[in-house]
């Protein structure tokens, strides 16, 4: 049976419930909650992007330091043998440069891929939020009966409770959180590969050829981080 328009309360006629206003109020509240989730989606995505940036920078620093140490030690080893002008020394430089460039390329690819996946994940999440919100926002409420509106009001209360619950664990649970947590850059392997070739490393300024390689890596990193 449809809800009754009014009733008796202490001899007074109770005002008829305004089902349309009730539903509109709940839809407005639900839309506000989804707007909050939109903001949370951006904030969490940006936080994860910052972590990727920090990880990339740390890995790049480690790679540059390892390469510089390797270059210095290689120069000393061949210099002590009087073979600094030999093709063997050149080959050692070339091999170290190849390791550096390969590791830098892998690291850069992982970073750019991770940033792209973050954007895709945020876009997909917002699409899911839109779909959930639009199932109520696009209804023609003026064509609904009081009974339909009363039933819809109950559904909206359930939806509001559900969104409130999801807000509390939005960062740690659910598909969006799982998708974000699955995005992480690879760990650069160049430092270990370079260290395996020379067991003892020394810390000092890098020879000129190492400085050139590192400069190229830093330029590429700067280009990636340039907002323009």
């Amino acid at each position: 049976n449809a809800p009754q328009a009014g009733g008796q309360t202490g001899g007074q006629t109770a005002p008829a419930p305004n089902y349309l206003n009730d539903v509109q109020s709940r839809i407005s509240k639900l839309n506000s909650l989804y707007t909050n989730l939109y903001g949370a989606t951006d904030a969490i995505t940006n936080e994860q992007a910052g972590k990727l940036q920090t990880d990339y920078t740390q890995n790049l620093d480690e790679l540059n330091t390892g390469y510089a140490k390797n270059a210095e030690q290689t120069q000393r080893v061949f210099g002590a043998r009087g073979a600094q002008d030999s093709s063997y020394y050149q080959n050692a430089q070339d091999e170290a440069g190849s390791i550096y460039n390969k590791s830098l390329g892998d690291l850069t690819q992982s970073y750019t891929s991770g940033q792209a996946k973050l954007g895709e994940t945020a876009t997909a999440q917002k699409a899911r939020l839109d779909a959930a919100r639009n199932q109520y926002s696009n209804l023609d409420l003026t064509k609904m009966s009081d009974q339909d509106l009363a039933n819809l009001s109950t559904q909206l209360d359930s939806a509001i409770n559900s969104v409130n619950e999801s807000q509390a664990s939005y960062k740690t649970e659910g598909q969006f959180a799982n998708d974000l947590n699955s995005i992480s850059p690879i760990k650069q392997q160049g430092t270990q590969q370079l260290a395996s070739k020379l067991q003892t490393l020394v810390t000092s300024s890098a020879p000129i050829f190492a400085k050139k390689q590192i400069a190229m890596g830093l330029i590429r990193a700067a280009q990636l981080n340039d907002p323009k």
Side-chain angles (χ1 to χ4, degrees), residues 79-97:
R81 296 174 182 175
Q84 190 168 346
D85 295 326
S86 70
S87 61
Y88 296 104
Y89 180 43
Q90 183 62 52
N91 290 340
Q93 294 180 30
D94 292 344
E95 185 175 0

Side-chain angles (χ1 to χ4, degrees), residues 99-110:
I99 292 174
Y100 176 87
N101 288 330
K102 173 65 166 57
S103 187
L104 176 63
D106 291 344
L107 182 63
T108 301
Q109 174 60 32
S110 174

